[in-house]
Every structure is written in C-alpha cells, then in structure tokens.
C-alpha cells in the first residue's frame, strides 16, 4: 500500500517551464496580483506539472524574487469552451527547492 492517493488523470512529473507555460503564468499574473494585492516585477515560470482533467490543470512554480517563489494552479478549459485561463489556487512563500505537488 503506498500512501499516495491517485488523483483523476494523475499528473506528469515536474518538468522545466516552457515558453507556453510562461505565457500561461503571465495570463493569470493579474489575477494573483489582485488576490495578493501586490505587483510582481519578476514573474518567471521555473518548472511545472500538468494534469489532464476535463481540460488541463497546470501547477507552475513561479519565481517572484531572488529567493521567493509562488506555486500557482491554473485551469485551462477545453478549447471548445473558449474560456479564459483561471487561477484556481496558489501557495506563497515557497523556496526554490520546494517540490511542486498537487494542491
């Protein structure tokens, strides 16, 4: 028995962020800034995981300062739904070595 509960679809292993992932992070940055009441001068996607659901969940580690990282969960709906990307959840005060996990 492994203590790991498998989630719907399962998620991929953590991978280095791509230009597409940076674009996703950039699109939800204003949503995060509104929630945190902050403006991030740095917002660099470092690594990510994706999970296929009815659409795709992206878990993205974003660097916002030299030693400050945020984990964001972004939901991308199916193309035919034609909905904007949504910031579903986030975790602040993360370190560079903190593992991206489902949240």
């Amino acid at each position: 028995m492994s203590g790991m509960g498998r989630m719907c679809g399962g998620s991929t292993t953590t991978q280095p962020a791509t230009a597409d992932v940076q674009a996703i992070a950039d699109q939800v940055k204003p949503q995060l800034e509104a929630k945190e009441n902050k403006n991030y001068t740095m917002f660099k996607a470092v690594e990510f995981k994706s999970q296929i659901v009815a659409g795709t969940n992206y878990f993205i580690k974003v660097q916002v300062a030299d030693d400050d990282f945020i984990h964001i969960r972004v939901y991308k709906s199916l193309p035919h739904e034609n909905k904007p990307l949504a910031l579903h959840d986030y975790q602040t005060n993360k370190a560079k070595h903190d593992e991206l996990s489902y949240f």
Side-chain angles (χ1 to χ4, degrees):
M1 295 279 286
S2 76
M4 298 287 290
R6 272 192 60 81
M7 53 200 147
C8 166
S11 64
T12 61
T13 53
T14 303
Q15 303 165 62
T18 61
D20 285 347
V21 170
Q22 181 66 58
I24 289 168
D26 289 342
Q27 285 184 60
V28 298
K29 180 182 176 205
Q31 295 175 50
L32 179 65
E33 289 179 332
K35 288 179 193 297
E36 283 289 288
N37 200 18
K38 279 186 186 173
N39 285 321
Y40 296 105
T41 50
M42 178 189 282
F43 206 73
K44 181 182 175 214
V46 181
E47 54 188 30
F48 79 105
K49 286 182 174 183
S50 58
Q51 176 197 17
I52 305 301
V53 284
T56 307
N57 277 322
Y58 288 91
F59 300 88
I60 307 172
K61 182 186 292 185
V62 178
Q63 184 174 10
V64 293
D66 284 347
D67 292 318
D68 194 13
F69 294 78
I70 294 177
H71 293 181
I72 61 174
R73 175 158 58 104
V74 180
Y75 177 68
K76 183 180 183 181
S77 58
L78 296 168
H80 68 267
E81 294 179 343
N82 207 16
K83 291 181 184 158
L85 292 166
L87 176 68
H88 272 200
D89 205 355
Y90 64 96
Q91 299 173 328
T92 58
N93 301 317
K94 292 291 189 175
K96 186 179 177 78
H97 60 265
D98 286 342
E99 187 182 342
L100 265 180
S101 53
Y102 183 90
F103 58 92

